[in-house]
Amino acid sequence: MKIGVPPVFLRVPMHHDTALINMIAVGLGLAFIFGALANKLRLSPLVGYLAAGIVVGPFTPGFVADQALANQLAEIGVMLLMFGVGLHFSLKDLMAVKAIAIPGAIGQITVATLLGWGVAWLMGWPALHGVIFGFSLATASTVVLLRAMEERRLLDTLRGKIAVGWLIVEDLACVLALVMMPVLAGVLGPEAAAQSHTVGSVLAQIGWTFVQLGLFVAVMLVVGRRVIPWILERIAGTGSRELFTLAVLAIALGVAFGSAMLFGVSFALGAFFAGMLLNESELSHKAAHDSLPLRDAFAVLFFVSVGMLFNPMILVEHPWQVLATVMIIMFGKSAAAFVIVRAFGHPTGTALTISASLAQIGEFAFIIAGLGVALQILPPTGQSLVLAGALVSIMLNPLVFGLLDRWQLRQQQAQPLAAEPAEAIGPSRDLHDHAIVIGYGRVGSELAHVLRDRGVPVLVIDDNKEHVERAHAAGIAAIRGSAAADKVLAEAHPERAKIAVLAIPQPLEAGETLAKLRALNPTLTLLARAHSDAEVKHLLEHGADGTVMAERELAHSLAEMIMATPPYRTLGRDSIPVV
């Protein structure tokens, strides 16, 4: 059934010369409103971003954004998303659980694809359309999965490591799909019907695709591995943050564009490889941090543009197909994951955790479905079904985890089990009269080492895995997670500590953490780092006993050094103002 377009009189015409501004301003504004509302309801902000897209899309009354511009902004969003995936790709994490993650993910993807193909077959779709539809339902959202794991302090448990490794395999499968889908469209798509294909011509086309891919990978490994880190090191040496951020974005988008023009691979694949190569550089964390705001902004626009493609009428016109899609996502592939994990000898609790974490789909599903529609190997109705399934599954995923949490609590009460270790092997966290250092970056790590060397027991909290591993290697107890999370603070035992120092540069998170620490231990001495008078005021209002403004302290130190030099030594310390 063809889905209609709303009447013209419901649309608000916009000037063509401001279409880009309209799209960005209205899209980001509504995404913020709906994202904040979703967060308030303890849903993933992705639900809000998609809802914003539905509101500005052509299937709802009111303002209608320019779809062509939205698609181009979405393409940039896809490139930056894939760049981020490559930047955080960890072969080490995959190898740690490869025995279950690789066969498990492949088995689960196969089951989900077959189930999707079955639903497509019942709707009378061609086999290739069914395969693309099923595959788009097989991959979970990284954002949703990691958030659920972080909230439950599971990332560093065996369950969390299996889930992350499983997710990495799914990401790699999607990267391979981005390579193969154009080939399949050329051989089996609608345009191929007018051409005669033999087995030899098909194999030749597939072979040529892999030759192009091989050439691209070879160039990236031989040239990119040396050139990209060399460029970043030289730019970092200039001390210009703007140039460094610009270099990171130029590399991400430049490699994506160049790979498409020279080797015929997709923008997304090129950006993924750029991120992977940058991941090997010592500057990868700085690159990830500095490019994060722009990556987040375009990722939001990507989800808004995806929401614009969703026609709510599909819920009315194809209710059974929507239900079947949701069942595949939340029960079909989750059941497959449960059976596979149990077959590998892991306990029921671990199998249920993996199943719950995979009971949703997200960004890769949108990318695969969007490419399928563009290549005419997935009907627009299939894309709408994928979007409907994503919205429902992401909204219900917290409920699934809530049910799992209650089940596990009842199991522990009925038959107490030994707690699964939450962290990798590290120094004991059973401390008293200790100092809690929140943040193990340049400032926090130096502070923690000074305190430890002077005999002060130190416990570090940091949400960066590499920072926690560095702290453990230095013999310092550390907890991985956000200090604003109640469970993380509880593990630091602030009721037994003497002092807490917030060495993180994020004043909002620091303020929230200060308030929680003050409530947990009113006698705890709280110090915080600030970068402006407004931040000092904010932190003091939230319970800090004292703050240190880095710029002011640097000025004081430089003034002291100046006054110690021969020209000024006789003038006295108060002869020149210190600001």
Side-chain angles (χ1 to χ4, degrees):
M1 183 179 296
K2 183 178 180 181
I3 299 175
V5 178
V8 176
F9 66 82
L10 292 178
R11 303 187 181 189
V12 178
M14 303 300 293
H15 296 292
H16 291 292
D17 55 349
T18 63
L20 178 60
I21 298 174
N22 297 334
M23 174 64 207
I24 295 177
V26 177
L28 289 180
L30 289 176
F32 163 70
I33 294 171
F34 285 104
L37 180 61
N39 190 64
K40 188 71 174 178
L41 298 174
R42 300 191 62 80
L43 298 173
S44 171
L46 297 188
V47 175
Y49 305 155
L50 292 170
I54 295 172
V55 170
V56 300
F59 304 107
T60 53
F63 170 78
V64 178
D66 189 312
Q67 185 67 61
L69 279 176
N71 290 339
Q72 293 185 47
L73 292 172
E75 193 68 50
I76 298 176
V78 169
M79 286 189 278
L80 293 177
L81 272 173
M82 293 298 294
F83 176 68
V85 171
L87 201 56
H88 294 96
F89 177 79
S90 175
L91 191 60
K92 177 183 175 183
D93 288 344
L94 175 58
M95 289 298 102
V97 290
K98 63 180 184 299
I100 180 174
I102 295 176
I106 293 174
Q108 175 250 303
I109 289 172
T110 302
V111 170
T113 302
L114 289 174
L115 290 174
W117 172 82
V119 170
W121 178 76
L122 291 175
M123 290 190 288
W125 294 359
L128 181 59
H129 292 197
V131 170
I132 300 301
F133 175 68
F135 185 81
S136 65
L137 305 180
T139 55
S141 166
T142 303
V143 177
V144 177
L145 186 149
L146 292 181
R147 178 180 177 180
M149 290 291 174
E150 285 174 353
E151 286 179 350
R152 290 158 181 81
R153 306 287 295 121
L154 294 175
L155 274 179
D156 290 301
T157 65
L158 179 59
R159 287 174 286 172
K161 291 178 180 178
I162 292 174
V164 171
W166 200 294
L167 198 63
I168 291 172
V169 178
E170 289 188 347
D171 290 351
L172 290 175
C174 287
V175 170
L176 181 61
L178 293 175
V179 175
M180 292 302 301
M181 284 174 65
V183 179
L184 294 175
V187 175
L188 303 174
E191 295 182 359
Q195 305 174 9
S196 59
H197 289 284
T198 63
V199 175
S201 65
V202 171
L203 293 177
Q205 190 166 350
I206 294 175
W208 173 239
T209 299
F210 278 98
V211 167
Q212 290 179 300
L213 179 63
L215 288 173
F216 167 67
V217 172
V219 170
M220 292 300 292
L221 293 178
V222 175
V223 180
R225 177 177 282 179
R226 293 174 173 83
V227 173
I228 291 176
W230 181 85
I231 292 174
L232 288 181
E233 288 172 6
R234 296 302 179 275
I235 298 299
T238 66
S240 172
R241 181 175 179 178
E242 292 178 6
L243 279 178
F244 185 83
T245 304
L246 183 60
V248 172
L249 295 174
I251 288 171
L253 300 180
V255 170
F257 179 78
S259 61
M261 296 299 103
L262 298 177
F263 300 100
V265 301
S266 67
F267 290 132
L269 183 61
F272 173 77
F273 267 91
M276 278 189 64
L277 292 179
L278 196 54
N279 187 19
E280 299 180 2
S281 169
E282 295 180 357
L283 297 169
S284 61
H285 295 302
K286 178 174 174 56
H289 179 268
D290 288 358
S291 64
L292 185 61
L294 194 62
R295 283 193 288 131
D296 285 347
F298 275 99
V300 169
L301 290 175
F302 163 68
F303 290 116
V304 171
S305 69
V306 168
M308 290 176 62
L309 301 173
F310 178 68
N311 187 346
M313 287 303 297
I314 196 170
L315 300 175
V316 177
E317 297 176 357
H318 300 283
W320 295 111
Q321 290 90 330
V322 172
L323 180 61
T325 301
V326 173
M327 293 293 289
I328 291 172
I329 296 168
M330 301 197 66
F331 295 99
K333 68 173 187 170
S334 294
F338 177 86
V339 171
I340 292 170
V341 174
R342 289 290 290 137
F344 275 82
H346 291 276
T348 301
T350 298
L352 287 174
T353 300
I354 303 301
S355 299
S357 65
L358 298 174
Q360 40 78 21
I361 59 173
E363 52 274 12
F364 266 118
F366 306 146
I367 294 172
I368 296 298
L371 181 59
V373 172
L375 295 173
Q376 299 181 21
I377 53 176
L378 180 69
T381 302
Q383 186 177 35
S384 293
L385 288 174
V386 171
L387 296 178
L391 277 168
V392 174
S393 64
I394 293 174
M395 291 177 65
L396 294 182
N397 196 248
L399 177 61
V400 173
F401 265 104
L403 294 173
L404 175 61
D405 292 341
R406 285 195 285 272
W407 178 85
Q408 290 180 332
L409 181 61
R410 288 197 302 268
Q411 291 295 113
Q412 291 174 0
Q413 291 173 344
Q415 185 179 0
L417 300 174
E420 185 179 357
E423 301 283 346
I425 296 174
S428 172
R429 299 192 305 231
D430 186 18
L431 303 175
H432 293 77
D433 299 334
H434 56 290
I436 301 173
V437 177
I438 298 173
Y440 197 72
R442 290 177 298 175
V443 176
S445 59
E446 188 67 25
L447 173 63
H449 292 168
V450 170
L451 293 177
R452 180 201 58 186
D453 293 343
R454 297 187 180 183
V456 179
V458 178
L459 189 147
V460 166
I461 299 177
D462 198 295
D463 59 2
N464 186 293
K465 179 182 177 181
E466 285 74 20
H467 288 181
V468 172
E469 290 176 348
R470 278 172 42 207
H472 285 168
I476 299 173
I479 300 171
R480 181 186 175 192
S482 171
D486 294 336
K487 290 183 179 180
V488 176
L489 282 184
E491 290 184 29
H493 298 294
E495 72 281 357
R496 303 197 310 229
K498 290 294 184 184
I499 190 170
V501 183
L502 287 93
I504 55 177
Q506 295 87 12
L508 297 180
E509 181 180 346
E512 183 181 355
T513 305
L514 285 168
K516 291 183 177 181
L517 285 170
R518 180 62 71 207
L520 291 170
N521 185 355
T523 65
L524 190 65
T525 300
L526 299 176
L527 303 178
R529 166 187 175 185
H531 290 280
S532 67
D533 291 329
E535 289 185 10
V536 169
K537 181 181 178 182
H538 173 77
L539 296 170
L540 291 175
E541 289 175 348
H542 281 75
D545 294 305
T547 62
V548 176
M549 191 189 300
E551 291 80 0
R552 183 174 295 161
E553 293 302 317
L554 177 60
H556 282 219
S557 298
L558 289 172
E560 292 289 340
M561 294 175 67
I562 291 171
M563 298 306 297
T565 59
Y568 302 105
R569 191 176 295 158
T570 59
L571 295 180
R573 299 183 63 176
D574 300 322
S575 300
I576 61 174
V578 177
V579 293

